[in-house]
Coordinates of all heavy atoms in Angstrom, one line a residue:
G260 N -13.2 -16.1 -3.2 CA -12.9 -17.0 -2.0 C -11.5 -17.5 -2.0 O -11.1 -18.0 -1.0
R261 N -10.7 -17.4 -3.1 CA -9.3 -18.0 -3.1 C -8.5 -17.1 -2.1 O -7.4 -17.6 -1.7 CB -8.7 -17.8 -4.5 CG -8.6 -16.4 -4.9 CD -8.1 -16.3 -6.4 NE -7.9 -14.9 -6.9 CZ -9.0 -14.2 -7.4 NH1 -10.1 -14.8 -7.5 NH2 -8.8 -13.0 -7.9
V262 N -8.9 -16.0 -1.7 CA -8.0 -15.2 -0.7 C -8.2 -15.6 0.7 O -7.3 -15.3 1.5 CB -8.3 -13.7 -0.8 CG1 -8.1 -13.1 -2.2 CG2 -9.6 -13.4 -0.1
V263 N -9.2 -16.5 1.0 CA -9.4 -17.1 2.3 C -8.6 -18.4 2.4 O -8.9 -19.3 1.6 CB -10.9 -17.3 2.5 CG1 -11.2 -17.8 3.9 CG2 -11.7 -16.1 2.3
K264 N -7.7 -18.4 3.4 CA -6.9 -19.5 3.6 C -7.2 -20.3 4.8 O -6.8 -20.1 5.9 CB -5.4 -19.1 3.7 CG -4.9 -18.3 2.4 CD -5.1 -19.0 1.1 CE -4.5 -18.2 -0.1 NZ -4.8 -18.9 -1.4
F265 N -8.1 -21.3 4.7 CA -8.6 -22.0 5.7 C -7.5 -23.0 6.3 O -7.5 -23.4 7.4 CB -9.7 -23.0 5.4 CG -11.0 -22.2 5.1 CD1 -11.6 -22.2 3.8 CD2 -11.6 -21.4 6.2 CE1 -12.7 -21.5 3.5 CE2 -12.8 -20.7 5.8 CZ -13.4 -20.7 4.6
E266 N -6.4 -23.2 5.4 CA -5.4 -24.2 5.8 C -4.5 -23.6 6.9 O -3.7 -24.3 7.6 CB -4.7 -24.7 4.6 CG -3.7 -23.6 4.0 CD -4.4 -22.8 2.9 OE1 -5.6 -22.8 2.9 OE2 -3.8 -22.1 2.1
K267 N -4.5 -22.3 7.1 CA -3.6 -21.8 8.1 C -3.9 -22.2 9.4 O -5.0 -22.5 9.8 CB -3.5 -20.2 8.0 CG -4.7 -19.5 8.3 CD -4.5 -17.9 8.1 CE -5.8 -17.2 8.3 NZ -5.5 -15.8 8.2
E268 N -2.8 -22.2 10.3 CA -3.1 -22.6 11.7 C -3.9 -21.6 12.5 O -3.8 -20.4 12.3 CB -1.7 -22.9 12.4 CG -1.0 -24.2 12.0 CD 0.2 -24.4 12.7 OE1 0.5 -23.9 13.8 OE2 1.2 -25.0 12.0
G269 N -4.7 -22.2 13.5 CA -5.3 -21.3 14.4 C -6.6 -20.6 13.9 O -6.9 -20.8 12.7
D270 N -7.2 -19.9 14.8 CA -8.5 -19.3 14.4 C -8.2 -17.9 13.7 O -7.1 -17.4 13.8 CB -9.2 -19.0 15.7 CG -10.7 -18.6 15.4 OD1 -11.2 -18.9 14.2 OD2 -11.4 -18.2 16.3
F271 N -9.1 -17.5 13.0 CA -9.0 -16.1 12.5 C -10.4 -15.5 12.4 O -11.5 -16.2 12.4 CB -8.3 -16.0 11.2 CG -9.0 -16.7 10.0 CD1 -10.0 -16.2 9.2 CD2 -8.7 -18.0 9.6 CE1 -10.6 -16.7 8.2 CE2 -9.3 -18.7 8.6 CZ -10.3 -18.1 7.9
V272 N -10.5 -14.1 12.5 CA -11.8 -13.4 12.6 C -12.5 -13.8 11.3 O -12.1 -13.6 10.2 CB -11.5 -11.9 12.7 CG1 -12.9 -11.3 12.7 CG2 -10.8 -11.7 14.0
G273 N -13.7 -14.4 11.5 CA -14.7 -14.7 10.5 C -14.6 -16.2 10.0 O -15.3 -16.6 9.1
R274 N -13.6 -16.9 10.6 CA -13.4 -18.3 10.1 C -14.7 -19.1 10.1 O -15.0 -19.8 9.1 CB -12.4 -19.1 10.9 CG -12.1 -20.5 10.3 CD -11.2 -21.4 11.4 NE -9.8 -21.2 11.1 CZ -9.1 -21.9 10.3 NH1 -9.7 -22.8 9.4 NH2 -7.8 -21.8 10.2
A275 N -15.5 -19.2 11.1 CA -16.7 -20.0 11.1 C -17.7 -19.5 10.1 O -18.2 -20.4 9.3 CB -17.3 -19.9 12.6
A276 N -17.9 -18.3 10.1 CA -18.9 -17.7 9.0 C -18.4 -17.9 7.7 O -19.2 -18.2 6.7 CB -19.1 -16.2 9.3
L277 N -17.1 -17.8 7.5 CA -16.5 -18.0 6.0 C -16.6 -19.5 5.7 O -16.8 -19.8 4.5 CB -15.2 -17.4 6.0 CG -15.2 -15.9 5.9 CD1 -13.7 -15.4 6.2 CD2 -15.7 -15.3 4.7
T278 N -16.5 -20.4 6.7 CA -16.6 -21.8 6.3 C -17.9 -22.2 5.9 O -18.1 -22.8 4.9 CB -16.3 -22.7 7.6 OG1 -15.0 -22.3 8.0 CG2 -16.4 -24.1 7.3
E279 N -18.9 -21.5 6.5 CA -20.3 -21.7 6.0 C -20.6 -21.1 4.7 O -21.2 -21.6 3.9 CB -21.3 -21.1 7.1 CG -21.6 -21.9 8.4 CD -22.6 -21.2 9.2 OE1 -23.5 -20.5 8.8 OE2 -22.5 -21.4 10.5
A280 N -20.0 -19.9 4.5 CA -20.2 -19.2 3.2 C -19.6 -20.1 2.1 O -20.1 -20.1 1.0 CB -19.5 -17.9 3.3
A281 N -18.5 -20.7 2.3 CA -17.8 -21.5 1.3 C -18.7 -22.7 0.9 O -18.8 -23.0 -0.2 CB -16.5 -22.0 1.8
S282 N -19.3 -23.3 2.0 CA -20.1 -24.4 1.7 C -21.4 -24.0 1.0 O -21.8 -24.7 0.1 CB -20.4 -25.1 3.2 OG -21.5 -26.0 3.0
R283 N -22.0 -22.9 1.4 CA -23.1 -22.4 0.8 C -22.9 -22.1 -0.8 O -23.7 -22.4 -1.5 CB -23.5 -21.2 1.5 CG -25.1 -20.8 1.4 CD -25.5 -19.8 2.4 NE -24.7 -18.5 2.5 CZ -23.9 -18.2 3.6 NH1 -24.0 -18.9 4.6 NH2 -23.2 -17.1 3.6
A284 N -21.8 -21.5 -1.0 CA -21.4 -21.2 -2.4 C -21.2 -22.4 -3.2 O -21.5 -22.3 -4.5 CB -20.1 -20.3 -2.4
E285 N -20.7 -23.5 -2.7 CA -20.7 -24.7 -3.4 C -22.0 -25.3 -3.8 O -22.3 -25.7 -4.9 CB -19.9 -25.8 -2.7 CG -18.4 -25.7 -2.9 CD -17.6 -26.8 -2.3 OE1 -18.2 -27.9 -2.1 OE2 -16.4 -26.6 -2.0
Q286 N -22.9 -25.3 -2.8 CA -24.2 -25.9 -2.9 C -25.2 -25.1 -3.8 O -25.9 -25.5 -4.6 CB -24.9 -26.2 -1.5 CG -24.1 -27.4 -0.8 CD -24.4 -27.4 0.6 OE1 -25.3 -26.7 1.1 NE2 -23.6 -28.1 1.4
N287 N -25.1 -23.7 -3.5 CA -26.1 -22.8 -4.2 C -25.3 -21.7 -4.6 O -25.1 -20.6 -3.8 CB -27.2 -22.4 -3.1 CG -28.1 -21.5 -3.8 OD1 -28.3 -21.5 -5.0 ND2 -28.8 -20.6 -2.9
P288 N -24.6 -21.7 -5.8 CA -23.7 -20.7 -6.2 C -24.3 -19.3 -6.2 O -25.4 -19.1 -6.6 CB -23.4 -21.1 -7.7 CG -23.6 -22.6 -7.8 CD -24.7 -22.8 -6.8
P289 N -23.6 -18.3 -5.6 CA -24.1 -17.0 -5.5 C -23.9 -16.3 -6.9 O -23.6 -16.9 -7.9 CB -23.1 -16.3 -4.6 CG -21.8 -17.0 -4.7 CD -22.2 -18.5 -5.0
R290 N -24.5 -15.1 -7.0 CA -24.4 -14.3 -8.3 C -22.9 -14.3 -8.6 O -22.1 -14.1 -7.8 CB -25.0 -13.0 -8.2 CG -26.6 -13.1 -8.3 CD -27.2 -11.7 -8.2 NE -28.6 -11.8 -8.7 CZ -29.4 -10.8 -8.6 NH1 -29.1 -9.6 -8.1 NH2 -30.7 -10.9 -9.1
V291 N -22.6 -14.1 -9.9 CA -21.3 -14.2 -10.4 C -20.9 -12.9 -11.0 O -21.7 -12.2 -11.6 CB -21.1 -15.2 -11.6 CG1 -19.7 -15.3 -12.1 CG2 -21.6 -16.7 -11.1
L292 N -19.7 -12.4 -10.7 CA -19.2 -11.1 -11.2 C -18.8 -11.3 -12.7 O -17.9 -12.2 -12.8 CB -18.1 -10.5 -10.4 CG -17.6 -9.1 -10.7 CD1 -18.8 -8.1 -10.4 CD2 -16.3 -8.7 -9.8
V293 N -19.4 -10.7 -13.6 CA -19.1 -10.8 -15.0 C -18.8 -9.4 -15.5 O -19.1 -8.5 -15.0 CB -20.3 -11.5 -15.7 CG1 -20.6 -12.8 -15.2 CG2 -21.5 -10.6 -15.8
G294 N -18.3 -9.5 -16.8 CA -18.2 -8.3 -17.6 C -19.3 -8.1 -18.6 O -19.8 -9.1 -19.1
L295 N -19.8 -6.9 -18.9 CA -20.8 -6.6 -19.8 C -20.2 -5.6 -20.8 O -19.7 -4.6 -20.4 CB -22.1 -6.0 -19.2 CG -22.8 -7.0 -18.1 CD1 -24.0 -6.2 -17.5 CD2 -23.3 -8.2 -18.8
V296 N -20.4 -5.8 -22.1 CA -20.0 -4.9 -23.1 C -21.2 -4.4 -23.9 O -22.0 -5.2 -24.4 CB -18.9 -5.5 -24.0 CG1 -18.5 -4.5 -25.2 CG2 -17.6 -6.0 -23.3
A297 N -21.4 -3.1 -24.0 CA -22.6 -2.5 -24.7 C -22.5 -2.8 -26.1 O -21.5 -2.7 -26.8 CB -22.7 -1.0 -24.3
E298 N -23.8 -3.0 -26.6 CA -23.8 -3.1 -28.1 C -24.2 -1.7 -28.6 O -23.8 -1.3 -29.8 CB -25.0 -4.1 -28.6 CG -24.6 -5.5 -28.2 CD -25.7 -6.5 -28.6 OE1 -26.5 -6.1 -29.4 OE2 -25.6 -7.7 -28.1
G299 N -24.6 -0.7 -27.8 CA -25.0 0.6 -28.2 C -24.0 1.5 -27.5 O -22.9 1.1 -27.1
R300 N -24.5 2.7 -27.2 CA -23.6 3.8 -26.8 C -24.0 4.2 -25.3 O -23.3 5.0 -24.7 CB -23.7 5.0 -27.7 CG -23.0 4.9 -29.0 CD -21.6 5.3 -28.9 NE -20.6 4.9 -29.9 CZ -19.6 4.1 -29.8 NH1 -19.3 3.7 -28.5 NH2 -18.8 3.7 -30.8
R301 N -25.1 3.7 -24.7 CA -25.5 4.3 -23.4 C -24.8 3.6 -22.3 O -24.4 2.3 -22.3 CB -27.0 4.0 -23.2 CG -27.8 4.8 -24.4 CD -29.3 4.7 -24.0 NE -29.8 5.4 -22.9 CZ -31.0 5.5 -22.4 NH1 -32.0 4.7 -23.1 NH2 -31.4 6.1 -21.5
V302 N -24.3 4.4 -21.4 CA -23.4 3.9 -20.4 C -24.2 3.5 -19.1 O -25.0 4.2 -18.6 CB -22.4 5.1 -19.9 CG1 -21.4 4.7 -18.8 CG2 -21.7 5.6 -21.2
P303 N -23.9 2.3 -18.7 CA -24.5 1.7 -17.5 C -23.7 2.3 -16.2 O -22.6 2.5 -16.2 CB -24.2 0.2 -17.6 CG -22.9 0.1 -18.3 CD -22.9 1.2 -19.3
R304 N -24.5 2.5 -15.1 CA -23.9 3.0 -13.9 C -24.2 2.0 -12.8 O -25.1 1.2 -12.8 CB -24.5 4.4 -13.5 CG -24.1 5.4 -14.5 CD -22.7 5.7 -14.7 NE -22.3 6.8 -15.7 CZ -21.1 7.0 -16.2 NH1 -20.1 6.2 -15.9 NH2 -20.9 7.8 -17.1
A305 N -23.4 2.1 -11.6 CA -23.6 1.3 -10.5 C -25.1 1.4 -10.1 O -25.7 2.5 -9.9 CB -22.7 1.7 -9.4
G306 N -25.6 0.2 -9.7 CA -27.0 0.2 -9.2 C -28.1 -0.1 -10.3 O -29.3 -0.4 -10.0
Y307 N -27.7 -0.1 -11.6 CA -28.7 -0.3 -12.6 C -28.9 -1.8 -12.7 O -28.1 -2.6 -12.4 CB -28.0 0.1 -14.1 CG -28.1 1.6 -14.3 CD1 -28.4 2.5 -13.3 CD2 -28.0 2.1 -15.6 CE1 -28.4 3.9 -13.5 CE2 -27.9 3.5 -15.9 CZ -28.2 4.4 -14.9 OH -28.2 5.7 -15.2
R308 N -30.1 -2.2 -13.0 CA -30.6 -3.5 -13.0 C -30.2 -4.2 -14.3 O -30.3 -3.7 -15.4 CB -32.0 -3.7 -12.8 CG -32.5 -3.2 -11.4 CD -34.0 -3.3 -11.2 NE -34.7 -2.5 -12.2 CZ -36.1 -2.5 -12.3 NH1 -36.7 -3.2 -11.4 NH2 -36.6 -1.7 -13.2
V309 N -29.7 -5.5 -14.2 CA -29.4 -6.3 -15.3 C -30.6 -7.3 -15.6 O -31.1 -7.8 -14.6 CB -28.1 -7.2 -15.1 CG1 -27.9 -8.1 -16.4 CG2 -26.9 -6.3 -14.8
V310 N -31.1 -7.3 -16.8 CA -32.3 -8.1 -17.1 C -32.2 -9.1 -18.2 O -31.2 -8.9 -19.0 CB -33.5 -7.0 -17.4 CG1 -33.8 -6.1 -16.2 CG2 -33.0 -6.2 -18.7
A311 N -33.0 -10.1 -18.2 CA -33.1 -11.1 -19.3 C -34.5 -11.7 -19.2 O -35.0 -12.1 -18.2 CB -32.1 -12.2 -19.1
G312 N -35.1 -11.7 -20.3 CA -36.5 -12.3 -20.5 C -37.5 -11.6 -19.6 O -38.3 -12.3 -19.1
G313 N -37.3 -10.4 -19.4 CA -38.3 -9.6 -18.5 C -38.0 -9.8 -17.0 O -38.8 -9.2 -16.2
E314 N -37.0 -10.5 -16.7 CA -36.7 -10.8 -15.2 C -35.4 -10.0 -14.9 O -34.5 -9.9 -15.7 CB -36.5 -12.2 -14.9 CG -37.7 -13.1 -15.2 CD -38.8 -13.0 -14.2 OE1 -38.4 -12.9 -13.0 OE2 -39.9 -12.8 -14.6
V315 N -35.4 -9.5 -13.6 CA -34.1 -8.9 -13.2 C -33.2 -10.1 -12.7 O -33.5 -11.0 -11.9 CB -34.4 -8.1 -11.9 CG1 -33.1 -7.5 -11.3 CG2 -35.3 -6.8 -12.3
I316 N -31.9 -10.2 -13.3 CA -31.1 -11.2 -13.1 C -29.8 -10.7 -12.4 O -28.9 -11.5 -12.1 CB -30.7 -12.0 -14.3 CG1 -30.1 -10.9 -15.4 CG2 -32.0 -12.7 -14.9 CD1 -29.1 -11.7 -16.3
G317 N -29.7 -9.5 -12.1 CA -28.4 -9.0 -11.4 C -28.4 -7.5 -11.4 O -29.4 -6.8 -11.6
E318 N -27.2 -6.9 -11.1 CA -27.1 -5.5 -10.9 C -25.7 -5.1 -11.2 O -24.7 -5.8 -10.9 CB -27.4 -5.2 -9.3 CG -27.3 -3.7 -9.1 CD -27.7 -3.4 -7.6 OE1 -28.8 -3.7 -7.1 OE2 -26.8 -2.9 -6.9
V319 N -25.6 -3.9 -11.9 CA -24.4 -3.4 -12.3 C -23.7 -2.8 -11.0 O -24.2 -2.2 -10.1 CB -24.5 -2.2 -13.3 CG1 -23.2 -1.4 -13.5 CG2 -25.1 -2.7 -14.6
T320 N -22.3 -3.1 -10.9 CA -21.6 -2.5 -9.7 C -20.6 -1.4 -10.2 O -20.4 -0.5 -9.4 CB -20.7 -3.6 -9.2 OG1 -19.9 -4.3 -10.1 CG2 -21.6 -4.7 -8.5
S321 N -20.2 -1.4 -11.5 CA -19.4 -0.4 -12.0 C -19.7 -0.2 -13.4 O -19.7 -1.3 -14.1 CB -17.9 -0.6 -11.8 OG -17.4 -0.7 -10.4
G322 N -19.6 1.0 -14.0 CA -19.7 1.1 -15.4 C -19.2 2.4 -16.0 O -19.1 3.4 -15.2
A323 N -18.7 2.4 -17.1 CA -18.1 3.6 -17.7 C -17.8 3.3 -19.2 O -17.8 2.2 -19.7 CB -16.8 3.9 -17.0
P324 N -17.6 4.4 -20.0 CA -17.1 4.2 -21.4 C -15.7 3.6 -21.3 O -14.9 4.1 -20.4 CB -17.1 5.6 -22.0 CG -17.9 6.4 -21.0 CD -17.7 5.8 -19.6
S325 N -15.4 2.6 -22.1 CA -14.0 2.1 -22.2 C -13.2 2.8 -23.2 O -13.5 2.5 -24.4 CB -14.0 0.6 -22.3 OG -12.7 0.1 -22.8
P326 N -12.1 3.5 -22.8 CA -11.3 4.1 -24.0 C -10.6 3.1 -24.7 O -10.4 3.3 -26.0 CB -10.3 5.0 -23.1 CG -11.1 5.3 -21.9 CD -11.8 4.1 -21.5
T327 N -10.2 2.0 -24.2 CA -9.5 0.9 -24.9 C -10.4 0.2 -25.9 O -10.0 -0.1 -27.0 CB -8.8 -0.1 -24.0 OG1 -8.0 0.7 -23.0 CG2 -7.9 -1.0 -24.6
L328 N -11.5 -0.2 -25.4 CA -12.5 -0.9 -26.3 C -13.4 -0.1 -27.2 O -13.9 -0.5 -28.2 CB -13.4 -1.8 -25.5 CG -13.0 -3.2 -25.0 CD1 -11.7 -3.0 -24.0 CD2 -14.1 -3.9 -24.2
G329 N -13.5 1.2 -26.8 CA -14.3 2.2 -27.6 C -15.8 2.0 -27.4 O -16.6 2.5 -28.1
R330 N -16.2 1.2 -26.4 CA -17.6 1.0 -26.1 C -17.8 1.0 -24.5 O -16.9 0.8 -23.7 CB -18.1 -0.4 -26.5 CG -18.0 -0.5 -28.1 CD -17.9 -2.0 -28.6 NE -19.1 -2.7 -28.4 CZ -19.2 -4.1 -28.6 NH1 -18.1 -4.7 -29.0 NH2 -20.3 -4.8 -28.4
P331 N -19.1 1.3 -24.0 CA -19.3 1.2 -22.7 C -19.2 -0.2 -22.1 O -19.5 -1.1 -22.8 CB -20.7 1.8 -22.6 CG -21.1 2.5 -23.8 CD -20.2 1.8 -24.9
I332 N -18.7 -0.3 -20.9 CA -18.5 -1.6 -20.4 C -19.0 -1.5 -18.9 O -19.2 -0.4 -18.4 CB -17.0 -2.0 -20.3 CG1 -16.1 -1.0 -19.5 CG2 -16.5 -2.3 -21.7 CD1 -14.7 -1.5 -19.3
A333 N -19.3 -2.6 -18.3 CA -19.7 -2.7 -16.8 C -19.2 -4.0 -16.2 O -19.0 -5.1 -17.0 CB -21.2 -2.5 -16.8
M334 N -19.1 -4.0 -14.9 CA -19.0 -5.2 -14.2 C -20.4 -5.3 -13.4 O -20.9 -4.3 -13.0 CB -17.8 -5.2 -13.2 CG -16.5 -5.3 -13.7 SD -15.3 -6.0 -12.6 CE -14.8 -4.4 -11.8
A335 N -20.9 -6.5 -13.3 CA -22.2 -6.8 -12.7 C -22.2 -8.1 -12.0 O -21.5 -9.1 -12.5 CB -23.3 -6.7 -13.7
Y336 N -22.9 -8.2 -10.9 CA -23.3 -9.5 -10.3 C -24.5 -10.1 -10.9 O -25.5 -9.4 -10.9 CB -23.5 -9.4 -8.8 CG -22.0 -9.3 -8.1 CD1 -21.7 -8.1 -7.4 CD2 -21.2 -10.3 -8.0 CE1 -20.7 -8.0 -6.7 CE2 -20.0 -10.3 -7.3 CZ -19.7 -9.1 -6.6 OH -18.5 -9.1 -6.0
V337 N -24.5 -11.2 -11.6 CA -25.6 -11.8 -12.3 C -25.8 -13.2 -11.8 O -25.0 -13.8 -11.3 CB -25.5 -11.8 -13.8 CG1 -25.3 -10.3 -14.3 CG2 -24.3 -12.6 -14.3
D338 N -27.1 -13.7 -12.0 CA -27.4 -15.1 -11.7 C -26.5 -16.0 -12.5 O -26.2 -15.8 -13.6 CB -28.9 -15.4 -12.0 CG -29.8 -14.7 -11.1 OD1 -29.3 -14.1 -10.0 OD2 -31.0 -14.5 -11.5
P339 N -26.1 -17.1 -11.8 CA -25.2 -18.1 -12.5 C -25.7 -18.5 -13.9 O -24.9 -18.8 -14.8 CB -25.1 -19.3 -11.6 CG -25.3 -18.7 -10.2 CD -26.4 -17.6 -10.4
A340 N -27.0 -18.6 -14.1 CA -27.6 -19.1 -15.3 C -27.4 -18.2 -16.4 O -27.4 -18.5 -17.7 CB -29.1 -19.3 -15.2
H341 N -27.0 -17.0 -16.1 CA -26.7 -15.9 -17.2 C -25.2 -15.4 -17.2 O -25.0 -14.4 -17.8 CB -27.6 -14.8 -17.1 CG -29.1 -15.2 -17.2 ND1 -29.9 -15.6 -16.2 CD2 -29.9 -15.1 -18.4 CE1 -31.1 -15.8 -16.6 NE2 -31.1 -15.6 -18.0
A342 N -24.4 -16.2 -16.5 CA -23.0 -15.8 -16.2 C -22.0 -16.2 -17.3 O -20.9 -15.7 -17.5 CB -22.5 -16.2 -14.9
A343 N -22.4 -17.1 -18.1 CA -21.4 -17.7 -19.2 C -21.2 -16.7 -20.3 O -22.1 -16.1 -20.7 CB -21.9 -18.9 -19.8
P344 N -19.9 -16.5 -20.7 CA -19.6 -15.6 -21.7 C -20.4 -15.9 -23.0 O -20.5 -17.1 -23.3 CB -18.1 -15.8 -22.0 CG -17.5 -16.2 -20.6 CD -18.6 -17.0 -20.0
G345 N -20.9 -14.9 -23.6 CA -21.7 -15.2 -24.9 C -23.2 -15.4 -24.6 O -24.0 -15.6 -25.5
T346 N -23.6 -15.4 -23.3 CA -25.1 -15.6 -22.9 C -26.0 -14.7 -23.7 O -25.7 -13.4 -23.6 CB -25.3 -15.4 -21.5 OG1 -24.5 -16.5 -20.8 CG2 -26.8 -15.8 -21.1
E347 N -27.0 -15.2 -24.4 CA -27.8 -14.3 -25.2 C -28.9 -13.6 -24.4 O -29.3 -14.1 -23.3 CB -28.5 -15.1 -26.2 CG -27.6 -15.9 -27.2 CD -27.2 -15.1 -28.4 OE1 -28.0 -14.4 -28.9 OE2 -26.0 -15.2 -28.8
G348 N -29.4 -12.5 -24.9 CA -30.7 -11.8 -24.4 C -30.5 -11.1 -23.1 O -31.4 -10.8 -22.4
V349 N -29.3 -10.6 -22.7 CA -29.0 -10.0 -21.5 C -28.9 -8.4 -21.9 O -28.4 -8.1 -22.8 CB -27.6 -10.4 -20.8 CG1 -27.4 -9.4 -19.7 CG2 -27.7 -11.8 -20.4
G350 N -29.6 -7.7 -21.0 CA -29.6 -6.3 -21.1 C -29.4 -5.6 -19.8 O -29.5 -6.1 -18.7
V351 N -29.3 -4.2 -19.9 CA -29.2 -3.4 -18.7 C -30.4 -2.4 -18.8 O -30.6 -1.8 -19.9 CB -27.8 -2.6 -18.6 CG1 -28.0 -1.7 -17.4 CG2 -26.8 -3.6 -18.5
D352 N -31.1 -2.3 -17.7 CA -32.2 -1.3 -17.7 C -31.7 0.1 -17.5 O -31.3 0.4 -16.3 CB -33.2 -1.7 -16.5 CG -34.5 -0.8 -16.5 OD1 -34.4 0.3 -17.1 OD2 -35.4 -1.3 -15.8
I353 N -31.6 0.9 -18.5 CA -31.0 2.3 -18.4 C -32.3 3.1 -18.6 O -32.8 3.4 -19.7 CB -30.0 2.5 -19.5 CG1 -28.9 1.6 -19.2 CG2 -29.5 4.0 -19.3 CD1 -27.7 1.8 -20.1
R354 N -32.8 3.7 -17.4 CA -34.0 4.6 -17.4 C -35.2 4.1 -18.2 O -35.8 4.8 -19.0 CB -33.6 6.0 -18.0 CG -32.6 6.6 -17.2 CD -32.3 8.1 -17.5 NE -31.2 8.7 -16.8 CZ -29.9 8.8 -17.2 NH1 -29.7 8.2 -18.4 NH2 -29.0 9.3 -16.5
G355 N -35.4 2.8 -17.9 CA -36.6 2.1 -18.5 C -36.5 1.5 -19.8 O -37.3 0.8 -20.3
S356 N -35.3 1.7 -20.4 CA -35.0 1.1 -21.8 C -34.0 -0.1 -21.5 O -33.0 0.1 -20.9 CB -34.4 2.1 -22.7 OG -33.9 1.5 -23.9
H357 N -34.4 -1.3 -22.0 CA -33.5 -2.4 -21.8 C -32.4 -2.4 -23.0 O -32.7 -2.9 -24.1 CB -34.3 -3.7 -21.8 CG -35.2 -3.8 -20.6 ND1 -35.8 -5.0 -20.3 CD2 -35.3 -3.0 -19.6 CE1 -36.4 -4.8 -19.1 NE2 -36.2 -3.6 -18.6
E358 N -31.2 -1.9 -22.7 CA -30.2 -1.8 -23.7 C -29.4 -3.1 -23.7 O -29.0 -3.8 -22.7 CB -29.2 -0.7 -23.2 CG -29.8 0.6 -23.2 CD -30.2 1.2 -24.5 OE1 -29.4 1.0 -25.4 OE2 -31.2 2.0 -24.6
P359 N -29.1 -3.7 -25.0 CA -28.6 -5.0 -25.0 C -27.0 -4.9 -24.7 O -26.4 -4.0 -25.0 CB -28.7 -5.3 -26.6 CG -28.9 -4.1 -27.3 CD -29.5 -3.1 -26.3
Y360 N -26.6 -6.0 -24.0 CA -25.2 -6.1 -23.6 C -24.7 -7.5 -23.9 O -25.5 -8.5 -23.7 CB -25.1 -5.8 -22.1 CG -24.9 -4.2 -21.8 CD1 -26.0 -3.4 -22.0 CD2 -23.6 -3.9 -21.6 CE1 -25.8 -2.1 -21.7 CE2 -23.4 -2.5 -21.4 CZ -24.5 -1.6 -21.5 OH -24.4 -0.2 -21.3

Side-chain angles (χ1 to χ4, degrees):
R261 64 182 181 276
V262 305
V263 181
K264 303 300 182 186
F265 291 117
E266 69 273 17
K267 64 180 174 177
E268 285 181 29
D270 196 15
F271 62 89
V272 177
R274 183 190 270 274
L277 289 167
T278 301
E279 280 184 30
S282 169
R283 201 165 53 241
E285 267 188 31
Q286 292 160 15
N287 183 22
R290 282 182 165 176
V291 179
L292 189 64
V293 300
L295 299 174
V296 177
E298 293 181 16
R300 286 269 165 239
R301 298 185 73 184
V302 179
R304 298 296 180 193
Y307 285 13
R308 295 180 301 178
V309 182
V310 292
E314 300 287 317
V315 176
I316 58 152
E318 186 175 295
V319 171
T320 54
S321 296
S325 164
T327 305
L328 275 64
R330 293 157 75 187
I332 60 172
M334 286 200 282
Y336 283 112
V337 303
D338 293 343
H341 295 87
T346 300
E347 303 273 321
V349 172
V351 176
D352 185 342
I353 300 180
R354 298 191 185 91
S356 170
H357 290 187
E358 300 288 325
Y360 274 75

